[in-house]
Amino acid sequence: MFAPLLLSLVACLACVFAQQEPRTSAPQVRPRRVAPASSGNTTTIRAGGNLQQALDRAQPGDTLLLEAGASFTGSFTLPYKTSTNADWITIRTSTPDALLPAGTRITPAHAHLLPKLLSPGGNAPALRTAAGAHHYRLVGLEIAPASASAEITNLVTLGDGSEAQN
């Protein structure tokens, strides 16, 4: 009586284990989510350019390409934009994707490929969002203090803590 039940149970377990992916000891790298194709304008901001002005002018669907290796010092604000669709404003390195392939970790050796958003110190973040700001995508940016002695509580501040931020 128990033999057919045991045989059925073993067969079910074999099916379950056969459907699982094989386990490996090597760490798995998750593929990077790819943003949908941009539907707007692409603006390149070179070293010394006015990043805040570019952020203020950007519209959903636009891409801001920051010059690879350039440093932008300031407390930059991602402004609230009204939008009826789900287009993103993408802020990214000008480095081609082929040099920073999806699924690979970047290391300090890649630093020259990344633009740097630097906090000036004085407890000012390098990047913040206005209340209600949304649909920004940041790709291949280094965010750091401008100097080792800069006093900073938060490098990035999301929202303002008010009811407008949800």
Side-chain angles (χ1 to χ4, degrees):
M1 177 169 126
F2 290 109
L5 181 61
L6 182 59
L7 187 57
S8 297
L9 180 61
V10 170
C12 287
L13 287 175
C15 289
V16 169
F17 285 114
Q19 292 175 4
Q20 290 183 349
E21 293 181 23
R23 295 181 188 227
T24 63
S25 59
Q28 299 295 314
V29 177
R30 292 184 179 163
R32 178 176 58 179
R33 292 177 124 183
V34 178
S38 173
S39 61
N41 298 315
T42 298
T43 304
T44 300
I45 299 97
R46 303 215 181 275
N50 191 329
L51 177 56
Q52 187 61 59
Q53 185 178 58
L55 291 167
D56 293 341
R57 290 182 178 172
Q59 295 301 311
D62 288 355
T63 298
L64 301 179
L65 292 177
L66 306 185
E67 182 180 359
S71 294
F72 300 90
T73 303
S75 189
F76 301 105
T77 301
L78 303 178
Y80 172 78
K81 307 282 183 167
T82 57
S83 175
T84 57
N85 57 31
D87 282 339
W88 295 78
I89 295 174
T90 302
I91 305 161
R92 59 161 294 149
T93 179
S94 63
T95 300
D97 288 340
L99 295 177
L100 296 171
T104 58
R105 291 185 183 268
I106 60 171
T107 67
H110 294 97
H112 68 284
L113 301 173
L114 308 176
K116 291 147 188 63
L117 301 183
L118 303 174
S119 166
N123 277 327
L127 192 65
R128 71 177 79 207
T129 60
H134 59 89
H135 278 79
Y136 285 93
R137 185 178 310 274
L138 309 175
V139 180
L141 307 176
E142 179 180 336
I143 302 175
S147 71
S149 63
E151 185 177 322
I152 303 166
T153 303
N154 298 304
L155 280 173
V156 177
T157 303
L158 301 176
D160 63 358
S162 74
E163 298 272 333
Q165 196 69 44
N166 63 8

Short mmCIF file of all heavy atoms in Angstrom, two decimals, residues 74-138:
data_model
loop_
_atom_site.label_atom_id
_atom_site.label_comp_id
_atom_site.label_asym_id
_atom_site.label_seq_id
_atom_site.Cartn_x
_atom_site.Cartn_y
_atom_site.Cartn_z
N GLY A 74 28.51 70.86 -7.56
CA GLY A 74 27.36 71.66 -7.17
C GLY A 74 26.32 70.78 -6.53
O GLY A 74 26.42 69.56 -6.54
N SER A 75 25.33 71.40 -6.01
CA SER A 75 24.20 70.66 -5.49
C SER A 75 23.12 70.75 -6.56
O SER A 75 22.42 71.75 -6.66
CB SER A 75 23.73 71.27 -4.16
OG SER A 75 22.79 70.44 -3.57
N PHE A 76 23.01 69.71 -7.38
CA PHE A 76 22.11 69.72 -8.52
C PHE A 76 20.74 69.18 -8.12
O PHE A 76 20.64 68.21 -7.38
CB PHE A 76 22.69 68.88 -9.67
CG PHE A 76 24.03 69.40 -10.11
CD1 PHE A 76 25.19 68.73 -9.76
CD2 PHE A 76 24.13 70.57 -10.84
CE1 PHE A 76 26.43 69.21 -10.14
CE2 PHE A 76 25.36 71.06 -11.23
CZ PHE A 76 26.52 70.38 -10.88
N THR A 77 19.69 69.82 -8.61
CA THR A 77 18.32 69.43 -8.29
C THR A 77 17.63 68.86 -9.52
O THR A 77 17.61 69.50 -10.57
CB THR A 77 17.52 70.63 -7.76
OG1 THR A 77 18.17 71.14 -6.60
CG2 THR A 77 16.10 70.23 -7.41
N LEU A 78 17.07 67.66 -9.37
CA LEU A 78 16.24 67.08 -10.42
C LEU A 78 14.85 67.68 -10.24
O LEU A 78 14.16 67.36 -9.27
CB LEU A 78 16.20 65.56 -10.30
CG LEU A 78 17.56 64.85 -10.34
CD1 LEU A 78 17.37 63.35 -10.16
CD2 LEU A 78 18.29 65.15 -11.63
N PRO A 79 14.42 68.55 -11.15
CA PRO A 79 13.14 69.24 -10.95
C PRO A 79 11.93 68.37 -11.26
O PRO A 79 12.02 67.40 -11.99
CB PRO A 79 13.22 70.42 -11.91
CG PRO A 79 14.22 70.03 -12.95
CD PRO A 79 15.14 69.04 -12.31
N TYR A 80 10.80 68.76 -10.67
CA TYR A 80 9.53 68.11 -10.96
C TYR A 80 9.12 68.48 -12.38
O TYR A 80 9.21 69.64 -12.78
CB TYR A 80 8.46 68.58 -9.96
CG TYR A 80 7.08 68.10 -10.32
CD1 TYR A 80 6.70 66.80 -10.04
CD2 TYR A 80 6.17 68.94 -10.94
CE1 TYR A 80 5.44 66.34 -10.37
CE2 TYR A 80 4.90 68.49 -11.27
CZ TYR A 80 4.54 67.19 -10.99
OH TYR A 80 3.30 66.75 -11.32
N LYS A 81 8.69 67.51 -13.14
CA LYS A 81 8.20 67.72 -14.51
C LYS A 81 6.82 67.11 -14.62
O LYS A 81 6.59 66.00 -14.15
CB LYS A 81 9.12 67.04 -15.55
CG LYS A 81 10.58 67.40 -15.44
CD LYS A 81 10.86 68.74 -16.03
CE LYS A 81 12.37 69.02 -15.97
NZ LYS A 81 12.75 70.15 -16.79
N THR A 82 5.90 67.82 -15.25
CA THR A 82 4.58 67.25 -15.49
C THR A 82 4.65 66.42 -16.75
O THR A 82 5.26 66.82 -17.73
CB THR A 82 3.50 68.33 -15.63
OG1 THR A 82 3.88 69.21 -16.69
CG2 THR A 82 3.34 69.12 -14.36
N SER A 83 4.06 65.25 -16.70
CA SER A 83 4.09 64.35 -17.84
C SER A 83 2.87 63.45 -17.79
O SER A 83 2.48 62.98 -16.74
CB SER A 83 5.36 63.51 -17.80
OG SER A 83 5.34 62.56 -18.84
N THR A 84 2.28 63.23 -18.96
CA THR A 84 1.14 62.32 -19.03
C THR A 84 1.56 60.92 -19.46
O THR A 84 0.73 60.04 -19.53
CB THR A 84 0.10 62.86 -20.03
OG1 THR A 84 0.73 63.01 -21.31
CG2 THR A 84 -0.46 64.19 -19.57
N ASN A 85 2.84 60.74 -19.76
CA ASN A 85 3.29 59.41 -20.17
C ASN A 85 4.41 58.95 -19.26
O ASN A 85 4.76 59.62 -18.29
CB ASN A 85 3.72 59.42 -21.64
CG ASN A 85 4.81 60.43 -21.89
OD1 ASN A 85 5.61 60.72 -21.02
ND2 ASN A 85 4.86 60.98 -23.09
N ALA A 86 4.98 57.82 -19.55
CA ALA A 86 6.00 57.23 -18.69
C ALA A 86 7.41 57.41 -19.25
O ALA A 86 8.28 56.60 -18.99
CB ALA A 86 5.70 55.76 -18.48
N ASP A 87 7.64 58.47 -20.02
CA ASP A 87 8.98 58.71 -20.55
C ASP A 87 9.92 59.16 -19.43
O ASP A 87 9.53 59.91 -18.54
CB ASP A 87 8.96 59.79 -21.64
CG ASP A 87 8.47 59.27 -22.97
OD1 ASP A 87 8.52 58.04 -23.18
OD2 ASP A 87 8.02 60.08 -23.80
N TRP A 88 11.14 58.70 -19.50
CA TRP A 88 12.16 59.02 -18.51
C TRP A 88 13.06 60.13 -19.01
O TRP A 88 13.27 60.27 -20.21
CB TRP A 88 13.03 57.79 -18.24
CG TRP A 88 12.30 56.65 -17.62
CD1 TRP A 88 11.46 55.77 -18.26
CD2 TRP A 88 12.32 56.27 -16.26
NE1 TRP A 88 10.97 54.87 -17.36
CE2 TRP A 88 11.49 55.14 -16.12
CE3 TRP A 88 12.97 56.76 -15.14
CZ2 TRP A 88 11.29 54.51 -14.91
CZ3 TRP A 88 12.78 56.12 -13.93
CH2 TRP A 88 11.94 55.02 -13.82
N ILE A 89 13.63 60.87 -18.09
CA ILE A 89 14.75 61.76 -18.41
C ILE A 89 15.98 60.97 -17.98
O ILE A 89 16.13 60.61 -16.82
CB ILE A 89 14.66 63.10 -17.66
CG1 ILE A 89 13.43 63.88 -18.12
CG2 ILE A 89 15.95 63.91 -17.87
CD1 ILE A 89 13.17 65.15 -17.34
N THR A 90 16.83 60.67 -18.94
CA THR A 90 18.02 59.86 -18.68
C THR A 90 19.23 60.77 -18.57
O THR A 90 19.46 61.60 -19.45
CB THR A 90 18.23 58.83 -19.80
OG1 THR A 90 17.06 58.01 -19.89
CG2 THR A 90 19.44 57.96 -19.53
N ILE A 91 19.97 60.59 -17.49
CA ILE A 91 21.22 61.33 -17.27
C ILE A 91 22.30 60.28 -17.22
O ILE A 91 22.30 59.41 -16.35
CB ILE A 91 21.17 62.13 -15.96
CG1 ILE A 91 19.93 63.04 -15.95
CG2 ILE A 91 22.44 62.93 -15.76
CD1 ILE A 91 19.52 63.50 -14.58
N ARG A 92 23.22 60.33 -18.19
CA ARG A 92 24.17 59.23 -18.31
C ARG A 92 25.53 59.70 -18.82
O ARG A 92 25.66 60.81 -19.30
CB ARG A 92 23.63 58.15 -19.23
CG ARG A 92 23.29 58.61 -20.63
CD ARG A 92 23.19 57.46 -21.61
NE ARG A 92 24.51 56.86 -21.74
CZ ARG A 92 24.72 55.57 -22.00
NH1 ARG A 92 23.70 54.76 -22.19
NH2 ARG A 92 25.94 55.09 -22.11
N THR A 93 26.48 58.79 -18.71
CA THR A 93 27.81 59.03 -19.24
C THR A 93 27.75 59.06 -20.77
O THR A 93 26.90 58.39 -21.38
CB THR A 93 28.81 57.95 -18.77
OG1 THR A 93 30.08 58.23 -19.34
CG2 THR A 93 28.36 56.55 -19.15
N SER A 94 28.67 59.79 -21.36
CA SER A 94 28.76 59.80 -22.83
C SER A 94 29.51 58.57 -23.34
O SER A 94 29.56 58.33 -24.54
CB SER A 94 29.48 61.07 -23.30
OG SER A 94 30.81 61.10 -22.82
N THR A 95 30.06 57.79 -22.43
CA THR A 95 30.77 56.56 -22.81
C THR A 95 29.81 55.60 -23.50
O THR A 95 28.73 55.34 -22.98
CB THR A 95 31.36 55.87 -21.56
OG1 THR A 95 32.28 56.77 -20.94
CG2 THR A 95 32.06 54.58 -21.91
N PRO A 96 30.19 55.06 -24.64
CA PRO A 96 29.32 54.09 -25.32
C PRO A 96 29.08 52.85 -24.45
O PRO A 96 29.95 52.43 -23.69
CB PRO A 96 30.10 53.72 -26.58
CG PRO A 96 31.11 54.80 -26.76
CD PRO A 96 31.40 55.34 -25.39
N ASP A 97 27.90 52.27 -24.58
CA ASP A 97 27.54 51.08 -23.80
C ASP A 97 28.52 49.94 -24.01
O ASP A 97 28.72 49.13 -23.10
CB ASP A 97 26.12 50.62 -24.15
CG ASP A 97 25.06 51.55 -23.58
OD1 ASP A 97 25.38 52.32 -22.64
OD2 ASP A 97 23.93 51.51 -24.08
N ALA A 98 29.13 49.85 -25.17
CA ALA A 98 30.05 48.75 -25.45
C ALA A 98 31.26 48.76 -24.51
O ALA A 98 31.85 47.73 -24.23
CB ALA A 98 30.52 48.81 -26.90
N LEU A 99 31.62 49.94 -23.99
CA LEU A 99 32.76 50.04 -23.08
C LEU A 99 32.37 49.76 -21.63
O LEU A 99 33.22 49.56 -20.78
CB LEU A 99 33.43 51.41 -23.19
CG LEU A 99 34.08 51.70 -24.55
CD1 LEU A 99 34.66 53.11 -24.57
CD2 LEU A 99 35.15 50.67 -24.87
N LEU A 100 31.07 49.80 -21.34
CA LEU A 100 30.53 49.45 -20.02
C LEU A 100 29.42 48.44 -20.24
O LEU A 100 28.24 48.74 -20.08
CB LEU A 100 29.98 50.70 -19.32
CG LEU A 100 30.98 51.80 -18.97
CD1 LEU A 100 30.26 53.05 -18.48
CD2 LEU A 100 31.95 51.30 -17.91
N PRO A 101 29.76 47.20 -20.63
CA PRO A 101 28.73 46.24 -21.03
C PRO A 101 27.80 45.84 -19.89
O PRO A 101 28.20 45.78 -18.73
CB PRO A 101 29.53 45.04 -21.54
CG PRO A 101 30.91 45.23 -21.06
CD PRO A 101 31.10 46.67 -20.72
N ALA A 102 26.58 45.59 -20.26
CA ALA A 102 25.56 45.13 -19.30
C ALA A 102 26.02 43.84 -18.65
O ALA A 102 26.65 43.00 -19.28
CB ALA A 102 24.23 44.92 -20.00
N GLY A 103 25.71 43.70 -17.36
CA GLY A 103 26.02 42.47 -16.65
C GLY A 103 27.42 42.39 -16.10
O GLY A 103 27.80 41.37 -15.53
N THR A 104 28.23 43.42 -16.28
CA THR A 104 29.58 43.41 -15.73
C THR A 104 29.71 44.52 -14.70
O THR A 104 29.14 45.59 -14.85
CB THR A 104 30.65 43.61 -16.82
OG1 THR A 104 30.41 44.84 -17.49
CG2 THR A 104 30.65 42.49 -17.82
N ARG A 105 30.46 44.24 -13.67
CA ARG A 105 30.70 45.25 -12.63
C ARG A 105 31.76 46.22 -13.11
O ARG A 105 32.72 45.83 -13.76
CB ARG A 105 31.17 44.60 -11.34
CG ARG A 105 30.12 43.79 -10.67
CD ARG A 105 30.65 43.28 -9.34
NE ARG A 105 29.70 42.44 -8.70
CZ ARG A 105 28.79 42.88 -7.82
NH1 ARG A 105 28.74 44.15 -7.52
NH2 ARG A 105 27.95 42.06 -7.26
N ILE A 106 31.58 47.48 -12.73
CA ILE A 106 32.64 48.42 -13.03
C ILE A 106 33.54 48.51 -11.80
O ILE A 106 33.13 48.22 -10.68
CB ILE A 106 32.10 49.81 -13.45
CG1 ILE A 106 31.25 50.43 -12.36
CG2 ILE A 106 31.31 49.70 -14.75
CD1 ILE A 106 30.89 51.87 -12.67
N THR A 107 34.76 48.89 -12.03
CA THR A 107 35.77 48.97 -10.97
C THR A 107 36.41 50.36 -11.03
O THR A 107 36.13 51.13 -11.96
CB THR A 107 36.85 47.89 -11.18
OG1 THR A 107 37.58 48.22 -12.37
CG2 THR A 107 36.24 46.50 -11.30
N PRO A 108 37.29 50.67 -10.09
CA PRO A 108 38.01 51.95 -10.17
C PRO A 108 38.76 52.14 -11.49
O PRO A 108 39.00 53.28 -11.91
CB PRO A 108 38.96 51.90 -8.98
CG PRO A 108 38.23 51.06 -7.97
CD PRO A 108 37.55 49.99 -8.81
N ALA A 109 39.09 51.07 -12.16
CA ALA A 109 39.77 51.19 -13.46
C ALA A 109 38.88 51.83 -14.53
O ALA A 109 39.37 52.33 -15.54
CB ALA A 109 40.23 49.81 -13.93
N HIS A 110 37.57 51.84 -14.29
CA HIS A 110 36.62 52.44 -15.24
C HIS A 110 36.34 53.92 -14.93
O HIS A 110 35.56 54.55 -15.63
CB HIS A 110 35.29 51.68 -15.20
CG HIS A 110 35.38 50.29 -15.70
ND1 HIS A 110 35.51 49.21 -14.84
CD2 HIS A 110 35.36 49.77 -16.95
CE1 HIS A 110 35.56 48.10 -15.54
NE2 HIS A 110 35.48 48.41 -16.82
N ALA A 111 36.95 54.48 -13.90
CA ALA A 111 36.63 55.84 -13.44
C ALA A 111 36.74 56.88 -14.56
O ALA A 111 35.95 57.82 -14.61
CB ALA A 111 37.51 56.23 -12.26
N HIS A 112 37.70 56.73 -15.44
CA HIS A 112 37.88 57.70 -16.52
C HIS A 112 36.70 57.69 -17.51
O HIS A 112 36.54 58.62 -18.30
CB HIS A 112 39.20 57.45 -17.26
CG HIS A 112 39.21 56.17 -18.04
ND1 HIS A 112 39.36 54.93 -17.44
CD2 HIS A 112 39.06 55.94 -19.37
CE1 HIS A 112 39.32 53.99 -18.37
NE2 HIS A 112 39.14 54.57 -19.55
N LEU A 113 35.85 56.68 -17.46
CA LEU A 113 34.70 56.58 -18.36
C LEU A 113 33.44 57.23 -17.76
O LEU A 113 32.42 57.31 -18.44
CB LEU A 113 34.40 55.11 -18.67
CG LEU A 113 35.52 54.31 -19.34
CD1 LEU A 113 35.14 52.85 -19.43
CD2 LEU A 113 35.84 54.89 -20.70
N LEU A 114 33.53 57.64 -16.50
CA LEU A 114 32.36 58.14 -15.80
C LEU A 114 32.46 59.64 -15.54
O LEU A 114 33.49 60.12 -15.09
CB LEU A 114 32.21 57.43 -14.45
CG LEU A 114 32.24 55.92 -14.46
CD1 LEU A 114 32.18 55.39 -13.03
CD2 LEU A 114 31.12 55.36 -15.30
N PRO A 115 31.38 60.39 -15.78
CA PRO A 115 31.36 61.78 -15.31
C PRO A 115 31.16 61.76 -13.80
O PRO A 115 30.61 60.81 -13.24
CB PRO A 115 30.15 62.38 -16.03
CG PRO A 115 29.30 61.23 -16.38
CD PRO A 115 30.19 60.03 -16.51
N LYS A 116 31.60 62.82 -13.13
CA LYS A 116 31.52 62.88 -11.68
C LYS A 116 30.61 64.02 -11.24
O LYS A 116 30.78 65.14 -11.68
CB LYS A 116 32.92 63.07 -11.10
CG LYS A 116 33.80 61.85 -11.28
CD LYS A 116 35.25 62.23 -11.46
CE LYS A 116 36.11 61.04 -11.83
NZ LYS A 116 35.78 60.41 -13.09
N LEU A 117 29.63 63.69 -10.41
CA LEU A 117 28.80 64.70 -9.76
C LEU A 117 29.37 64.87 -8.37
O LEU A 117 29.36 63.92 -7.57
CB LEU A 117 27.34 64.26 -9.70
CG LEU A 117 26.66 63.95 -11.02
CD1 LEU A 117 25.20 63.59 -10.79
CD2 LEU A 117 26.77 65.12 -11.98
N LEU A 118 29.89 66.06 -8.07
CA LEU A 118 30.60 66.28 -6.83
C LEU A 118 29.86 67.23 -5.91
O LEU A 118 29.43 68.31 -6.34
CB LEU A 118 32.00 66.83 -7.13
CG LEU A 118 32.87 65.96 -8.04
CD1 LEU A 118 34.18 66.67 -8.38
CD2 LEU A 118 33.14 64.60 -7.40
N SER A 119 29.75 66.84 -4.66
CA SER A 119 29.16 67.72 -3.64
C SER A 119 30.20 68.75 -3.22
O SER A 119 31.35 68.39 -2.95
CB SER A 119 28.73 66.91 -2.42
OG SER A 119 28.48 67.79 -1.34
N PRO A 120 29.81 70.02 -3.13
CA PRO A 120 30.77 71.05 -2.71
C PRO A 120 31.06 71.02 -1.21
O PRO A 120 31.93 71.73 -0.74
CB PRO A 120 30.06 72.34 -3.09
CG PRO A 120 28.61 72.01 -3.00
CD PRO A 120 28.50 70.58 -3.42
N GLY A 121 30.34 70.21 -0.46
CA GLY A 121 30.51 70.17 0.99
C GLY A 121 29.47 71.05 1.65
O GLY A 121 28.45 71.40 1.05
N GLY A 122 29.71 71.44 2.88
CA GLY A 122 28.75 72.27 3.60
C GLY A 122 27.41 71.57 3.78
O GLY A 122 26.36 72.23 3.79
N ASN A 123 27.42 70.25 3.87
CA ASN A 123 26.22 69.42 4.00
C ASN A 123 25.26 69.55 2.82
O ASN A 123 24.07 69.26 2.95
CB ASN A 123 25.49 69.67 5.32
CG ASN A 123 26.10 68.88 6.43
OD1 ASN A 123 26.60 67.78 6.22
ND2 ASN A 123 26.10 69.43 7.62
N ALA A 124 25.74 69.99 1.67
CA ALA A 124 24.92 70.05 0.47
C ALA A 124 25.11 68.77 -0.32
O ALA A 124 26.25 68.37 -0.59
CB ALA A 124 25.32 71.25 -0.39
N PRO A 125 24.02 68.08 -0.68
CA PRO A 125 24.19 66.86 -1.47
C PRO A 125 24.65 67.19 -2.89
O PRO A 125 24.44 68.29 -3.38
CB PRO A 125 22.78 66.26 -1.49
CG PRO A 125 21.88 67.44 -1.31
CD PRO A 125 22.62 68.40 -0.43
N ALA A 126 25.29 66.23 -3.54
CA ALA A 126 25.66 66.42 -4.93
C ALA A 126 24.42 66.42 -5.81
O ALA A 126 24.34 67.13 -6.81
CB ALA A 126 26.61 65.32 -5.38
N LEU A 127 23.42 65.63 -5.40
CA LEU A 127 22.20 65.49 -6.19
C LEU A 127 21.01 65.39 -5.26
O LEU A 127 21.06 64.70 -4.25
CB LEU A 127 22.30 64.22 -7.05
CG LEU A 127 21.28 64.01 -8.14
CD1 LEU A 127 21.40 65.08 -9.22
CD2 LEU A 127 21.45 62.63 -8.76
N ARG A 128 19.94 66.10 -5.61
CA ARG A 128 18.70 66.04 -4.84
C ARG A 128 17.53 66.09 -5.80
O ARG A 128 17.69 66.46 -6.96
CB ARG A 128 18.62 67.19 -3.84
CG ARG A 128 18.40 68.54 -4.51
CD ARG A 128 18.25 69.70 -3.54
NE ARG A 128 19.57 70.09 -3.09
CZ ARG A 128 19.81 70.66 -1.93
NH1 ARG A 128 18.84 70.94 -1.12
NH2 ARG A 128 21.03 70.98 -1.59
N THR A 129 16.37 65.70 -5.31
CA THR A 129 15.16 65.79 -6.12
C THR A 129 14.23 66.84 -5.51
O THR A 129 14.15 66.97 -4.29
CB THR A 129 14.39 64.46 -6.19
OG1 THR A 129 14.02 64.05 -4.87
CG2 THR A 129 15.22 63.37 -6.84
N ALA A 130 13.53 67.54 -6.36
CA ALA A 130 12.48 68.43 -5.91
C ALA A 130 11.30 67.56 -5.47
O ALA A 130 11.19 66.40 -5.88
CB ALA A 130 12.06 69.38 -7.03
N ALA A 131 10.43 68.10 -4.66
CA ALA A 131 9.25 67.35 -4.22
C ALA A 131 8.46 66.87 -5.43
O ALA A 131 8.20 67.64 -6.35
CB ALA A 131 8.38 68.21 -3.33
N GLY A 132 8.12 65.60 -5.44
CA GLY A 132 7.32 65.03 -6.52
C GLY A 132 8.07 64.69 -7.79
O GLY A 132 7.48 64.17 -8.73
N ALA A 133 9.37 64.95 -7.84
CA ALA A 133 10.14 64.64 -9.05
C ALA A 133 10.19 63.13 -9.24
O ALA A 133 10.29 62.37 -8.29
CB ALA A 133 11.56 65.20 -8.93
N HIS A 134 10.08 62.70 -10.49
CA HIS A 134 10.07 61.27 -10.79
C HIS A 134 10.51 61.03 -12.23
O HIS A 134 10.65 61.96 -13.01
CB HIS A 134 8.66 60.68 -10.58
CG HIS A 134 7.61 61.34 -11.41
ND1 HIS A 134 7.29 60.91 -12.67
CD2 HIS A 134 6.84 62.42 -11.16
CE1 HIS A 134 6.34 61.69 -13.18
NE2 HIS A 134 6.05 62.62 -12.28
N HIS A 135 10.71 59.78 -12.56
CA HIS A 135 11.08 59.34 -13.90
C HIS A 135 12.42 59.91 -14.37
O HIS A 135 12.55 60.41 -15.47
CB HIS A 135 9.97 59.62 -14.92
CG HIS A 135 8.91 58.57 -14.89
ND1 HIS A 135 7.94 58.56 -13.93
CD2 HIS A 135 8.69 57.50 -15.68
CE1 HIS A 135 7.15 57.52 -14.15
NE2 HIS A 135 7.59 56.85 -15.18
N TYR A 136 13.41 59.80 -13.49
CA TYR A 136 14.80 60.10 -13.85
C TYR A 136 15.56 58.79 -13.81
O TYR A 136 15.38 57.99 -12.91
CB TYR A 136 15.43 61.09 -12.86
CG TYR A 136 14.96 62.51 -13.05
CD1 TYR A 136 13.88 63.00 -12.33
CD2 TYR A 136 15.61 63.36 -13.94
CE1 TYR A 136 13.44 64.30 -12.50
CE2 TYR A 136 15.18 64.66 -14.12
CZ TYR A 136 14.10 65.13 -13.39
OH TYR A 136 13.67 66.42 -13.57
N ARG A 137 16.42 58.59 -14.78
CA ARG A 137 17.26 57.39 -14.83
C ARG A 137 18.71 57.85 -14.87
O ARG A 137 19.09 58.65 -15.73
CB ARG A 137 16.94 56.57 -16.08
CG ARG A 137 17.67 55.25 -16.14
CD ARG A 137 17.28 54.45 -17.38
NE ARG A 137 15.86 54.33 -17.59
CZ ARG A 137 15.07 53.39 -17.04
NH1 ARG A 137 15.60 52.49 -16.25
NH2 ARG A 137 13.79 53.35 -17.29
N LEU A 138 19.52 57.37 -13.93
CA LEU A 138 20.93 57.73 -13.84
C LEU A 138 21.76 56.52 -14.26
O LEU A 138 21.59 55.44 -13.71
CB LEU A 138 21.29 58.13 -12.41
CG LEU A 138 20.37 59.18 -11.75
CD1 LEU A 138 20.75 59.38 -10.30
CD2 LEU A 138 20.42 60.48 -12.52
#
